Amino acid sequence: PKYKITQEKQLNMKMTKYIILVLLFALNACNSGTDSDSNSYTINGEFVGQDTGTIYLSYESMSSRIQDTALIENGKLIFEGEVSEPTEAMVTLENDTKSVRFYMEPAVMSLSLNIEDIEDFKLTGSKTQLENDELKEMTDPVYDRMNDFREQTTKLRDLVKNEESDDQRAELEIKLTEINQQWSNTHVELEQVWLKFVQTHPSSYVTPRFLYMIEANEAISLDMAISLFNGLDLEIQNSQFGNRVKEHIRLKEKNRIGNLAPDFKALDIHGETVSLSQFKNNSIVLLDFWASWCVPCREEIKFLKVLYEKYHSQGLEIVGISQDRDKEAWLSATEKDGIEI
């Protein structure tokens, strides 16, 4: 026959298939082991001045808060576990309010602590922490100036409070306003440092956190935030904090000027359900976000009452949405300000 296969060729083919199967089995075994190992982390710690005790590690992984405990023995400690991606972690001592924060990742890392100044720590073995250290070096001088302005503000407020002379008090208040403005200007400078880091570190897991902050503070436009986010590596876009930025942007896009406001439901002081859609036949619906502790918000209420009296007959409805978590404070404010429900 034209396609006759000899016994020797059949044997060779069987051996070849066997070798391929063995290789595939070995490859799958390696891959399954690699998946587990790729998420493993180890933190070898050294604690100067603390020979014994308990130390705690907490971090977020896959939308869950993980908490771990390690014993300090002869100034040494070790944490082992799994983390899905580089993430910010916090270490605290037993019965101590002090803590340190750093970026851990799937790797073998070394942590050095000192009981005299726990905040002056050193973590090696984490690429993400190195990037965070780089940002810290950029922002520390700005934070120092902001803290200086904050201290000046505290002192000036005390002086204003205790000053009996109206003229002297007026001068102090002018100076206080100037210092507050300097603090605000410096905060803008801080946001610009964050922005520069975001623009130059599209592959860093640190970046989404600060993109979120400058976008939430409206230091940049929504369009710029979208552009910056789309410029991040896909791995970073799909990270835990990247997904938060993505969701925040999505919600803001829905609420752009000109878009239909999303419907919502809430309970009024009588426990009755109120929804935005029930006012769809009104010509104008004004949503007023306020809180009992917000002095400017409550001062605006008297002006809103005037608007309501003047334009309600023409279709104006005002829906006040309180940000209070304390129901009693909310009810007390509505009664005191004469807000009709």
Side-chain angles (χ1 to χ4, degrees):
K2 186 176 181 181
Y3 298 105
K4 182 179 180 180
I5 301 175
T6 65
Q7 185 176 6
E8 181 181 358
K9 287 183 178 180
Q10 289 177 335
L11 179 61
N12 288 338
M13 290 176 67
K14 288 180 180 179
M15 288 298 295
T16 301
K17 290 180 180 179
Y18 174 76
I19 292 171
I20 291 173
L21 287 172
V22 170
L23 287 172
L24 287 173
F25 177 80
L27 183 60
N28 287 333
C30 289
N31 285 339
S32 61
T34 301
D35 290 340
S36 177
D37 293 342
S38 65
N39 290 333
S40 298
Y41 72 83
T42 300
I43 301 177
N44 295 308
E46 179 182 17
F47 211 143
V48 178
Q50 184 83 17
D51 292 333
T52 61
T54 307
I55 193 165
Y56 303 96
L57 173 73
S58 62
Y59 58 93
E60 193 171 305
S61 181
M62 303 299 290
S63 300
S64 297
R65 195 69 188 173
I66 308 298
Q67 294 186 326
D68 198 2
T69 306
L71 295 176
I72 304 170
E73 297 179 353
N74 298 319
K76 306 290 183 182
L77 60 104
I78 184 170
F79 285 107
E80 292 180 313
E82 292 188 357
V83 63
S84 57
E85 63 182 32
T87 187
E88 188 180 46
M90 181 173 68
V91 162
T92 55
L93 277 174
E94 186 178 22
N95 301 323
D96 198 335
T97 57
K98 294 180 180 179
S99 62
V100 297
R101 293 178 180 271
F102 53 79
Y103 280 89
M104 57 182 287
E105 56 188 59
V108 177
M109 296 161 283
S110 296
L111 176 64
S112 178
L113 299 165
N114 192 312
I115 191 63
E116 296 297 327
D117 187 2
I118 190 173
E119 295 179 1
D120 185 21
F121 70 93
K122 185 176 182 181
L123 181 77
T124 58
S126 168
K127 175 179 175 291
T128 310
Q129 180 60 29
L130 287 176
E131 294 163 344
N132 190 62
D133 289 341
E134 179 185 345
L135 177 59
K136 186 175 183 296
E137 187 175 347
M138 296 164 62
T139 57
D140 274 353
V142 186
Y143 277 121
D144 288 342
R145 280 187 281 126
M146 290 178 65
N147 289 333
D148 182 53
F149 290 138
R150 188 177 290 111
E151 290 176 3
Q152 292 183 54
T153 298
T154 301
K155 292 178 181 178
L156 282 170
R157 282 176 178 167
D158 290 338
L159 290 174
V160 169
K161 182 179 179 181
N162 298 320
E163 181 57 57
E164 296 181 358
S165 168
D166 291 340
D167 292 339
Q168 290 294 326
R169 189 185 307 110
E171 290 183 11
L172 289 171
E173 287 176 344
I174 292 173
K175 191 171 183 180
L176 180 60
T177 301
E178 292 174 352
I179 296 297
N180 284 333
Q181 185 60 54
Q182 288 177 299
W183 185 93
S184 297
N185 293 341
T186 309
H187 191 271
V188 171
E189 183 181 340
L190 177 66
E191 292 172 331
Q192 291 303 308
V193 175
W194 291 343
L195 176 59
K196 182 179 179 180
F197 182 88
V198 169
Q199 292 171 324
T200 56
H201 294 75
S203 60
S204 173
Y205 280 85
V206 179
T207 293
R209 183 179 299 273
F210 290 93
L211 174 56
Y212 181 90
M213 290 170 66
I214 57 179
E215 194 280 324
N217 291 344
E218 297 186 348
I220 57 175
S221 66
L222 179 58
D223 288 334
M224 187 174 183
I226 293 171
S227 176
L228 288 170
F229 182 79
N230 290 336
L232 302 180
D233 289 3
L234 286 177
E235 182 180 3
I236 305 303
Q237 290 184 26
N238 295 320
S239 65
Q240 294 181 64
F241 224 99
N243 282 320
R244 292 187 193 180
V245 177
K246 189 186 303 181
E247 178 63 12
H248 197 256
I249 288 175
R250 185 187 70 81
L251 291 175
K252 276 207 166 182
E253 282 191 295
K254 286 181 64 177
N255 295 322
R256 278 183 185 268
I257 294 175
N259 287 357
L260 184 67
D263 193 20
F264 64 84
K265 293 182 180 180
L267 297 178
D268 64 18
I269 61 173
H270 305 297
E272 300 292 331
T273 300
V274 177
S275 65
L276 180 59
S277 57
Q278 75 185 63
F279 303 102
K280 62 183 180 181
N281 293 326
N282 290 74
S283 302
I284 300 173
V285 179
L286 173 62
L287 302 181
D288 177 43
F289 294 87
W290 68 285
S292 63
W293 40 261
C294 177
V295 176
C297 303
R298 294 181 65 176
E299 288 179 348
E300 285 182 349
I301 290 175
K302 55 189 175 189
F303 299 108
L304 293 177
K305 287 182 177 180
V306 173
L307 285 176
Y308 185 82
E309 290 293 331
K310 187 174 183 179
Y311 297 107
H312 177 61
S313 60
Q314 299 178 40
L316 170 66
E317 192 64 65
I318 300 176
V319 181
I321 304 170
S322 172
Q323 304 297 299
D324 284 289
R325 295 187 179 183
D326 185 340
K327 185 177 180 180
E328 293 303 318
W330 167 48
L331 294 175
S332 176
T334 59
E335 182 178 358
K336 186 175 181 179
D337 295 341
I339 301 175
E340 297 180 2
I341 305 298

